[in-house]
Amino acid sequence: MDGLKIGEVASAAGVSRDAIRYYERLRLLPRPGRTRSGYRLYSESDIEQVRFIKQAQSLGLSLDEIKQLLPGRGAGLEECRRVRDLLKAKLEELDARLSELRAFRRRLAVYLGECEQALADRKADCCPVLFEISRPDRAESETGGRRKKKEALKRIKK
């Protein structure tokens, strides 16, 4: 029986042997033939399939999403529509995550400014950020929460 052993495929595709076994379990790769002694035997097309999986992962696609895109699942415009829809959904997901990260960055910048101000004033009995994150009513809106925090800090400083 001709074929490539798992180590050869792993080396050629730039992944580990465990990754190949995992892809098989997820049915991203077809079940390979076996030698009489039980060694898996792969083809050159299996190497290409692993490379495709690896490249798709580098684009941020999950293994479930990659499974939908594997070559040989159809051709033409219908396949292109599926890819377009998947990529559009990925971009929307990425935009939402970026928006969340920008809001998170703004909040950290505000906290940093509050720490810097407290250190410059040398009057705070406690760190304003620790005070803020230890509050049980943390779910309030940013503006309402900041106003109440400033009032509480004034009481603490007195």
Side-chain angles (χ1 to χ4, degrees):
M1 232 174 159
D2 287 337
L4 301 164
K5 291 184 180 171
I6 194 168
E8 295 170 310
V9 174
S11 178
V15 298
S16 70
R17 293 174 181 167
D18 287 337
I20 293 175
R21 290 185 195 101
Y22 185 60
Y23 296 160
E24 281 178 38
R25 282 195 303 274
L26 295 178
R27 297 194 173 135
L28 291 165
L29 286 175
R31 179 164 280 170
R34 301 251 180 181
T35 66
R36 286 184 185 218
S37 54
Y39 290 104
R40 292 172 168 92
L41 291 176
Y42 298 90
S43 68
E44 290 290 328
S45 66
D46 292 325
I47 294 173
E48 293 308 312
Q49 187 110 333
V50 173
R51 287 179 178 154
F52 175 85
I53 293 166
K54 191 176 169 188
Q55 182 65 23
Q57 282 181 305
S58 75
L59 295 175
L61 299 176
S62 71
L63 292 176
D64 284 337
E65 292 165 333
I66 293 168
K67 196 172 194 177
Q68 297 172 32
L69 299 179
L70 286 174
R73 296 216 165 234
L77 294 176
E78 187 56 36
E79 185 173 10
C80 192
R81 283 185 195 96
R82 283 188 312 108
V83 171
R84 178 205 57 201
D85 293 344
L86 178 63
L87 294 177
K88 189 184 288 188
K90 265 307 198 202
L91 280 172
E92 289 170 1
E93 179 185 314
L94 182 61
D95 288 341
R97 285 177 34 207
L98 286 170
S99 178
E100 290 170 4
L101 284 172
R102 281 191 288 274
F104 180 61
R105 188 192 186 292
R106 285 190 300 270
R107 187 170 6 144
L108 288 179
V110 167
Y111 285 165
L112 175 62
E114 290 172 358
C115 278
E116 295 289 355
Q117 186 63 49
L119 291 169
D121 291 348
R122 297 179 187 214
K123 294 180 184 175
D125 292 336
C126 72
C127 175
V129 175
L130 293 179
F131 176 78
E132 174 70 21
I133 61 179
S134 66
R135 287 187 12 223
D137 59 343
R138 187 77 184 92
E140 291 186 58
S141 72
E142 284 291 315
T143 55
R146 276 197 297 253
R147 186 177 56 247
K148 287 183 180 180
K149 181 180 67 176
K150 286 182 181 179
E151 292 169 6
L153 283 174
K154 286 179 187 175
R155 287 193 301 271
I156 290 172
K157 288 180 183 178
K158 290 180 181 179

